[in-house]
Amino acid sequence: MTFSHVLGYPRIGADRELKRAVEAYWQGSLDRDGLESAGRELRARHWAAQREAGLDLVTVGDFAFYDQVLDLSVTLGAVPARFGAEEEIAAGEVGLDTAFRMARGRAPSGEPTAACEMTKYFDTNYHYLVPELHAGQRFRLASSRLFDQVAEAQALGHPVKVSLLGPLTWLWLGKEKGEQSFDRLALLEELLPVYGELLARLGEQGVEWVQLDEPALVQELPTAWQQAYEAAYSVLGRAPVKLLLASYFGGLGDNLNLAVGLPVDGLHIDAVRAPEQLDAVLDRLPGYKVLSVGAIDGRNVWRADLALLRERLASARMRLGRRLWIAPSCSLLHVPVDLTRERDLDPELASWLAFARQKLDETVTLARLLDGRATEVDRRRLEAATEALQARRDSPRIHRPEVADRLAGVEPADHERRSPYGVRAEAQRRALKLPLLPTTTIGSFPQTDAIRAARRALKAGELSRDEYEARMEEEIAYAVARQEALGIDMPVHGEPERNDMVEYFGEQLDGYAFTRFGWVQSYGSRCVKPPVIYGDVSRPGPMTVRWSRYAQSLTDRPMKGMLTGPVTMLQWAFVRDDQPRETTCRQIALALRDEVCDLEAAGIRAIQIDEPALREGLPLRQGEWPAYLAWAVECFRLSAAGVGDETQIHTHMCYSEFNDIIESIAALDADVITIETSRSDMELLDAFREFAYPNEIGPGVYDIHSPNVPDVAWMVALMEKAAERIPVKRLWVNPDCGLKTRRWEEVEPALANMVEAARQLRRRFG
């Protein structure tokens, strides 16, 4: 019998119950017991969904109140000293508030301190907390949460498979800290006994299978790391549990022989991103190993072609027999929870989609089809999938000839500004009249309860469009007035009218569709609702001009218009899979180009085109980087290059390790780039020691994801570090990201300190 399972399931809940519970706990309106109860209820519901769908195992270990990488760091006792958790570690139970302080710098108990660095998990839009590693670091089991959750699932009668990030990938995702230089791989010897103890305790609980996630195996690995896999799994393979080594997000490539040969009981591969690797794995897989084939797309929302998958996997079923397992390609964390809640979605479009709950059904049905034991329900699913996929291919709403014709007419000159940066910079200095070290923000200001209430009232029909827009004008006027009072040199309108930096624009573009409940976790309690790009993209009319023009009318200072860039509009959506991603991105770039030109015509002389997802879109294998970077850079330039020299183009990137693509960042030719550097203590600027970045840059001086108000002296010190790498005349002072998730009582003192830091720096460097 072909086994079916998942690598992980969304933990936020169909109605974002986890977000609400966690934020209520942070705010003091829910106590610890209430938070823990909410977690138990969600886990029980999600395990039940897996069993009701017919999966053979439920996955335990994929739940976290903030981040699963953070939870593993806590479990291993890898808590930085500044969090004062020595006694908790020694007692073997690091508290939940300590984990929250690691994540966000503050919790209901404990002293506030600098949060851990946060960045993207491989090439996803999910953010993880970076493990901080020190020379000579010691590890020990310091949390029982995983074991408690296993006991919960067993008490409910579920057959359990535990999901756990593997030791090499955990080290791979970490970062060396401290003054002493060392190689974090040297910590493996100290780490393995703790993993061994963890696996032994799971074995004592009666767990048969443990899934060790090692997605680092789909990247190019140094020889020392490849050899470390062999050494590590020779040790871990002796544990009293069966190990399923899970790779995902791509093909194993030159690590295929390594992965197949490791002393584990099973291997999971991603057959969606890398279907070509299946035959090679089948040819090399030892006769005792299980092969879990990730056949259902865990990263996108399109319905699976069950008939095609049955045909493709028939040979694997014949060769492996009971050793074949079927699963989604990766954890379902990256897709929304349940399509059945989308009662307002266009029925034709809905028939093309599958969310996490539906992917459980697809997984089970595919396994049964391969076995020849399909039920009547399975046969109906197969028939419905085949009909829906054919209807999608034939639908006239997918392809628009005028969009294709415009794209075909793009010339090389359309990617070039009229003058080089040096000429533009002088024109912009004359036009904008900004001081040395000008201050600005990244774009958004707090999305208050009043703003959200107005948006809900508009959707419910309780507010007319005119009444809603009048309220948004009041919010914009307030934000502009506060910035003038604070002394911000280049204000923004604050984006009160925007629900999300991608959703807002997608709602106004043809080719995009939106859900009501399609929430996906981005980090912690932050959830996003990615749009679905189902067809050719174009812009029916202006999207932001009305708001930016109004904001500019309120101030003599240069107002910055705010747009989301084409690569981010692509990356942070569920993208159509029937044409190359770069083609879709170029369509978006042309739509944004029209908006940029309209903003300039409306008198907006600074326009920010955010591209936080540019680094995230990199293929995981460096050999594939040049092709991606070529079209990604071209798309940004296509969106930005239609304006005159006096119009200053900004871009923003947050939580992205882009030192290794700095030349491509420069090739964007943005006049100003703002980046996240506060959590990394300006480490991201190390790239500028060897590369002379030609344009202006604003290294973020405070972490907006923490409620802590930054100290003036601290921000001054960060900018002094930046001035060692970038000429002062090309530096800006700004936060590291937008402020929509913060409250005004946090934002105002933080920005006041930032402006004061800029004033002190001007006196020093003036």
Side-chain angles (χ1 to χ4, degrees):
M1 184 184 75
T2 301
F3 249 51
S4 57
H5 72 118
V6 294
L7 274 64
Y9 196 74
R11 53 183 176 253
I12 59 175
D15 291 310
R16 293 179 292 161
E17 296 94 327
L18 181 62
K19 169 188 174 67
R20 294 187 174 91
V22 168
E23 291 182 352
Y25 175 69
W26 291 342
Q27 294 161 8
S29 57
L30 184 70
D31 63 15
R32 177 75 60 82
D33 289 343
L35 178 61
E36 297 286 8
S37 176
R40 284 191 296 273
E41 290 176 10
L42 282 170
R43 291 192 293 271
R45 189 185 311 165
H46 298 157
W47 294 329
Q50 293 172 52
R51 288 297 287 161
E52 289 165 5
L55 293 180
D56 295 292
L57 297 169
V58 303
T59 300
V60 178
D62 54 352
F63 181 87
F65 282 115
Y66 201 98
D67 165 48
Q68 69 270 19
V69 181
L70 169 65
D71 276 12
L72 179 56
S73 298
V74 167
T75 299
L76 299 172
V79 180
R82 66 182 178 278
F83 296 100
E86 291 81 3
E87 292 184 4
E88 293 178 329
I89 294 172
E93 198 59 62
V94 173
L96 183 61
D97 279 5
T98 297
F100 282 144
R101 285 188 292 118
M102 291 172 67
R104 56 194 300 267
R106 181 182 296 182
S109 67
E111 292 297 318
T113 189
C116 295
E117 185 177 349
M118 184 166 61
T119 194
K120 301 292 179 70
Y121 188 69
F122 292 89
D123 62 347
T124 74
N125 187 34
Y126 178 78
H127 302 64
Y128 75 94
L129 273 298
V130 179
E132 294 186 16
L133 305 172
H134 297 266
Q137 186 160 339
R138 297 290 180 261
F139 303 98
R140 61 171 296 164
L141 279 183
S143 173
S144 63
R145 283 191 171 273
L146 177 61
F147 311 118
D148 294 341
Q149 290 172 21
V150 167
E152 280 179 37
Q154 291 171 330
L156 293 170
H158 297 309
V160 168
K161 178 202 67 180
V162 169
S163 170
L164 190 66
L165 192 63
L168 272 303
T169 294
W170 184 78
L171 285 174
W172 183 260
L173 295 174
K175 182 176 287 188
E176 293 95 342
K177 295 289 185 177
E179 298 179 359
Q180 182 179 347
S181 177
F182 75 105
D183 181 358
R184 62 187 181 278
L185 187 58
L187 299 176
L188 181 62
E189 183 177 359
E190 179 73 22
L191 180 62
L192 286 177
V194 183
Y195 262 86
E197 183 181 351
L198 193 159
L199 295 174
R201 285 188 60 176
L202 292 173
E204 291 170 2
Q205 287 186 278
V207 172
E208 181 180 9
W209 281 96
V210 175
Q211 166 193 313
L212 288 178
D213 288 3
E214 291 284 8
L217 282 168
V218 305
Q219 298 183 282
E220 289 104 344
L221 293 174
T223 301
W225 283 80
Q226 291 177 324
Q227 294 171 344
Y229 269 96
E230 296 177 347
Y233 279 86
S234 294
V235 173
L236 298 179
R238 297 194 290 267
V241 292
K242 294 180 179 178
L243 299 181
L244 177 70
L245 182 77
S247 65
Y248 46 79
F249 298 157
L252 289 162
D254 58 351
N255 295 319
L256 190 147
N257 286 333
L258 168 64
V260 169
L262 291 175
V264 294
D265 302 279
L267 174 67
H268 173 87
I269 61 170
D270 187 335
V272 174
R273 285 271 181 107
E276 70 285 348
Q277 68 179 333
L278 176 59
D279 288 340
V281 171
L282 286 171
D283 289 341
R284 293 165 175 79
L285 192 74
Y288 67 90
K289 285 188 181 179
V290 161
L291 179 62
S292 170
V293 178
I296 305 299
D297 194 344
R299 292 280 296 272
N300 214 330
V301 294
W302 302 107
R303 195 167 191 163
D305 190 336
L306 295 173
L308 179 62
L309 289 172
R310 178 176 60 178
E311 179 182 339
R312 285 181 177 174
L313 294 174
S315 175
R317 175 66 178 86
M318 290 180 61
R319 295 174 67 174
L320 295 174
R322 296 174 62 88
R323 293 189 293 122
L324 176 64
W325 290 15
I326 296 297
S329 57
C330 61
S331 171
L332 297 175
L333 170 75
H334 308 288
V335 294
V337 178
D338 191 355
L339 182 64
T340 62
R341 297 180 57 76
E342 300 298 336
R343 299 181 183 89
D344 298 331
L345 194 61
D346 177 87
E348 182 185 28
L349 177 58
S351 73
W352 303 342
L353 306 178
F355 291 177
R357 180 60 187 82
Q358 289 67 49
K359 290 178 186 290
L360 300 182
D361 294 334
E362 290 181 328
T363 301
V364 171
T365 291
L366 179 57
R368 290 173 179 164
L369 289 170
L370 288 166
D371 285 349
R373 55 186 176 96
T375 65
E376 182 60 30
V377 170
D378 296 318
R379 286 188 284 272
R380 287 200 299 269
R381 285 177 188 159
L382 174 63
E383 181 180 352
T386 301
E387 291 176 356
L389 290 164
Q390 187 59 51
R392 181 185 170 204
R393 285 188 286 267
D394 296 340
S395 176
R397 66 199 300 178
I398 301 297
H399 302 287
R400 302 182 59 189
E402 68 273 18
V403 176
D405 290 345
R406 186 182 182 193
L407 193 57
V410 171
E411 302 287 345
D414 294 327
H415 302 90
E416 303 292 335
R417 294 288 296 272
R418 298 173 193 175
S419 303
Y421 165 74
V423 174
R424 301 196 311 263
E426 288 303 318
Q428 291 161 19
R429 288 189 184 103
R430 292 192 298 269
L432 299 174
K433 298 179 175 59
L434 294 169
L436 183 71
L437 294 158
T439 55
T440 189
T441 67
I442 304 307
S444 60
F445 274 100
Q447 289 269 318
T448 63
D449 291 341
I451 292 173
R452 294 190 178 97
R455 190 175 297 129
R456 288 193 298 269
L458 176 67
K459 289 182 178 180
E462 299 166 1
L463 271 184
S464 70
R465 170 59 61 175
D466 288 345
E467 291 171 327
Y468 172 76
E469 292 188 354
R471 291 196 183 181
M472 294 303 101
E473 286 186 349
E474 292 174 1
E475 296 289 346
I476 291 170
Y478 180 82
V480 173
R482 297 317 305 147
Q483 291 172 85
E484 286 211 321
L486 288 164
I488 301 292
D489 300 305
M490 180 175 282
V492 295
H493 81 282
E495 306 176 17
E497 80 288 358
R498 302 186 189 183
N499 43 14
D500 175 81
M501 65 182 293
V502 172
E503 183 176 2
Y504 173 79
F505 291 97
E507 286 176 333
Q508 301 179 76
L509 294 170
D510 288 339
Y512 276 77
F514 289 84
T515 63
R516 285 191 62 194
F517 302 99
W519 297 101
V520 177
Q521 187 177 22
S522 178
Y523 64 85
S525 66
R526 168 73 169 151
C527 298
V528 295
K529 190 148 53 70
V532 177
I533 304 178
Y534 66 86
D536 288 340
V537 178
S538 62
R539 187 195 75 143
M543 300 180 286
T544 67
V545 175
R546 176 245 196 279
W547 304 109
S548 291
R549 182 191 289 121
Y550 172 71
Q552 184 63 82
S553 73
L554 301 174
T555 180
D556 293 331
R557 303 184 184 204
M559 179 62 56
K560 183 167 61 171
M562 304 300 305
L563 304 175
T564 303
V567 177
T568 300
M569 289 290 294
L570 181 88
Q571 285 293 125
W572 291 1
F574 294 118
V575 183
R576 58 190 292 191
D577 57 359
D578 61 338
Q579 71 178 13
R581 291 172 67 86
E582 62 192 85
T583 300
T584 303
C585 196
R586 288 191 171 99
Q587 294 175 355
I588 300 169
L590 285 173
L592 292 173
R593 182 186 182 95
D594 294 341
E595 186 73 11
V596 169
C597 292
D598 282 351
L599 282 168
E600 181 185 52
I604 305 302
R605 288 291 173 260
I607 303 168
Q608 183 169 304
I609 307 172
D610 287 342
E611 283 292 22
L614 184 74
R615 174 64 173 81
E616 169 191 315
L618 276 175
L620 293 177
R621 290 191 167 268
Q622 292 191 16
E624 301 171 14
W625 286 12
Y628 161 77
L629 288 169
W631 64 256
V633 169
E634 282 182 6
C635 287
F636 180 89
R637 294 175 68 119
L638 181 61
S639 70
V643 296
D645 290 351
E646 294 83 3
T647 299
Q648 190 174 70
I649 296 294
H650 293 232
T651 190
H652 170 66
M653 297 178 185
C654 57
Y655 300 101
S656 295
E657 298 279 357
F658 57 73
N659 293 14
D660 45 6
I661 59 166
I662 188 63
E663 293 183 7
S664 295
I665 302 299
L668 296 175
D669 198 28
D671 299 302
V672 182
I673 178 174
T674 51
I675 59 175
E676 179 277 324
T677 52
S678 62
R679 282 203 181 194
S680 61
D681 196 30
M682 293 285 168
E683 285 181 6
L684 289 181
L685 291 184
D686 288 346
F688 300 97
R689 291 187 184 278
E690 299 179 1
F691 180 83
Y693 186 77
N695 302 5
E696 297 169 43
I697 185 165
V701 293
Y702 84 87
D703 173 21
I704 66 89
H705 293 90
S706 170
N708 298 338
V709 174
D711 182 72
V712 172
W714 184 67
M715 288 187 280
V716 167
L718 286 178
M719 288 302 298
E720 288 173 341
K721 284 187 178 181
E724 295 173 0
R725 300 161 175 81
I726 305 292
V728 172
K729 68 177 182 179
R730 290 198 273 118
L731 283 174
W732 287 61
V733 182
N734 48 263
D736 62 14
C737 203
L739 299 164
K740 68 179 293 184
T741 61
R742 300 265 59 89
R743 296 175 296 158
W744 275 105
E745 52 264 40
E746 299 163 343
V747 165
E748 292 206 56
L751 290 181
N753 285 359
M754 185 187 82
V755 170
E756 175 57 28
R759 288 174 180 147
Q760 292 184 19
L761 289 160
R762 286 171 196 155
R763 288 195 292 269
R764 173 176 173 182
F765 293 109

